[in-house]
Amino acid sequence: MVKTTKKLSTSDPAIQNKPKLSLWNFWVSATLLKLLLIPGYYSTDFDVHRNWLALTNKLPIKQWYFEDTSPWTLDYPPFFAHFEWFLSQFVPRWVQQDGCLDIVETGNFGLPTVMFQRITVIVSELLLFVALQIYINKSSLSERSANFVVASSIVLSPGFLIIDHIHFQYNGFLFSILIAAILAAKHQRYLLCGFFFATALCFKHIFLYLAPSFFAFLLRVYVLDFSNFKFKSYYDLISIVQWKNLFKLAGVVLAVFGVCFAPLISQWSQLLTRLFPFSRGLTHAYWAPNFWALYSLLDKVLTLIILKVPYIHKCLTQIIAPPLIPATIQEIKWKLQQYNVGTKGLVQDVYFVILPQIQPKLTFLLTLFYQVLAIIPVLFSPSFKRFIGSLTLCGFASFLFGWHVHEKAIMLVIIPFSFLVTSDRRLLTPFRLVVSAGYVSLFPLLHESSDFLLKLLYTLVWSIIYFLALRQVTKMSSSVQRRVFFFDRFALFYIIMLVPMVIAVQLLDGLKWRYSILQKFEFAGLMIYSIYCSIGILSSWVGLSWLYNFDEPLWM
Ligand SMILES: *[C@@H]1O[C@H](CO)[C@@H](O)[C@H](O)[C@H]1NC(C)=O
């Protein structure tokens, strides 16, 4: 790391002339760490992907989306299924004998399968390094060192380490396609941008959350042309559309979707139910640290207060008509009982006692509303920076207000934000907030106590190094506006307090076997995590939205 900071000092003329900034060293050291993690803890996602490996290998395409021997049915788009099929071609015989390719209800496998699948994650992640190395290679001399810091912060991200190499998924590979789309947009290769983004969607449809931003940006910079526009009649509106570009872009995007979905067109309804399972609850097994976590907290606090002081309930019913809140204390107690029954199993459905239940339609409308707010400025002045800003805000909107959001979706915010943060020092505060709260919110994914030190120390060291390095390479504020000192101080205090929070929850967890009273609060640790992290992520969103909407010069 010392080396990195030396490279950053731009006073050295030898370095300025020939900056040779390579991610190679990072790849070697990160891969060594990942190899050491191979025998460690993995989640049920591991068996999910093993099952997909098996079913794509053993069955014809037409049956992939119908196969349901295992509860972990295929619910990613076809390109990802083909990717699994491709990987399954490389399974050696001794790994097959280990049970890697068996279609069974729950996988029965040993270390060989674990090694094989872990190595596929490490190898496919090479694409992430390649994409980011191209990003560095193609950047101009003035932004080269800043981009190098950004690129290395992504490849060493604790998010990818925790989600991919311990918990088990293929996000490094998937995000490399998204990053390719961002790079193409940066270098004004708009057809390529459309191609990569459509491809990313066909691998994992979670990228749909970012689609409004790509759509608005490509529409404005590639399809519409206002340069010679003078409004005389409605006929002129047709002349602003660059029809040739429109057909080219639509052709590229539709071709990608065609290749992906056409073979399965006859079973489209089955495909849809697999890709969009709307029957799931509002929050995931563990609450993602978003707006709904705070809503749930408010509900819990209100329930407690009302049960302690029934008089408050009387006052409330005077103001709010009963269907909106329970009419009697009995009803509250009854609902509470139902709720407790719910939490005994996996918490799939969150049930609110006092506050109104949340419908999918409402979460959808809220998400869309904030996404539209984020893309309107792109339609007016489509700079690359503004596009990345809107991309980040689209990720935020869906994370904060979406239906059945998973905590891993925070990467959809952090990765686009990384490409923005070095352009102005005032962006650092919201970035630090979302990165630290977002990465800490991933900690409960690894509940083995042996992983505790690893995740805490790795994230802590990463944060210290990159918070300092990013500060060094970040441009001073473009406008002479006063920085919001209160916000900066609050953020610093908040971030530092994450460490005692993590340690306290771990202690609480460790003492559970000793004091049976603590077992009553089994979910308290998770609740503390999601509430504390949601405060940081919401504040980050507010801070970024403020700059995005009220600070014009920053985005030019
Ligand atoms: C980046 O540039 C270096 C030389 O400056 C070259 O060796 C390397 O292959 C390039 N990497 C990519 C991915 O283009």
Side-chain angles (χ1 to χ4, degrees), residues 407-479:
E407 67 271 24
K408 293 171 218 144
I410 197 64
M411 297 306 277
L412 286 178
V413 179
I414 293 177
I415 300 302
F417 206 159
S418 306
F419 288 91
L420 189 64
V421 65
T422 53
S423 57
D424 190 290
R425 186 154 283 184
R426 281 166 303 161
L427 290 168
L428 269 180
T429 302
F431 182 73
R432 286 173 181 166
L433 272 174
V434 70
V435 165
S436 49
Y439 286 156
V440 165
S441 78
L442 298 174
F443 285 5
L445 287 177
L446 323 176
H447 32 70
E448 306 260 307
S449 44
S450 54
D451 288 328
F452 174 70
L453 272 185
L454 174 77
K455 64 190 180 188
L456 181 61
L457 286 182
Y458 189 90
T459 310
L460 197 64
V461 172
W462 183 94
S463 306
I464 293 172
I465 290 171
Y466 282 105
F467 286 3
L468 293 177
L470 283 172
R471 193 184 153 78
Q472 218 174 25
V473 295
T474 297
K475 295 197 189 80
M476 288 303 280
S477 302
S478 46
S479 57

Side-chain angles (χ1 to χ4, degrees), residues 256-283:
V256 174
F257 284 132
V259 169
C260 178
F261 289 102
L264 297 165
I265 196 77
S266 56
Q267 39 177 282
W268 59 274
S269 72
Q270 171 70 8
L271 199 60
L272 277 186
T273 46
R274 282 288 177 83
L275 294 187
F276 302 98
F278 264 108
S279 52
R280 290 194 204 160
L282 175 64
T283 52

Side-chain angles (χ1 to χ4, degrees), residues 483-504:
R483 279 163 66 206
V484 193
F485 275 105
F486 169 73
F487 191 56
D488 289 352
R489 291 281 153 82
F490 156 79
L492 190 66
F493 177 73
Y494 172 89
I495 291 168
I496 291 172
M497 288 307 284
L498 278 165
V499 179
M501 189 276 286
V502 169
I503 293 174

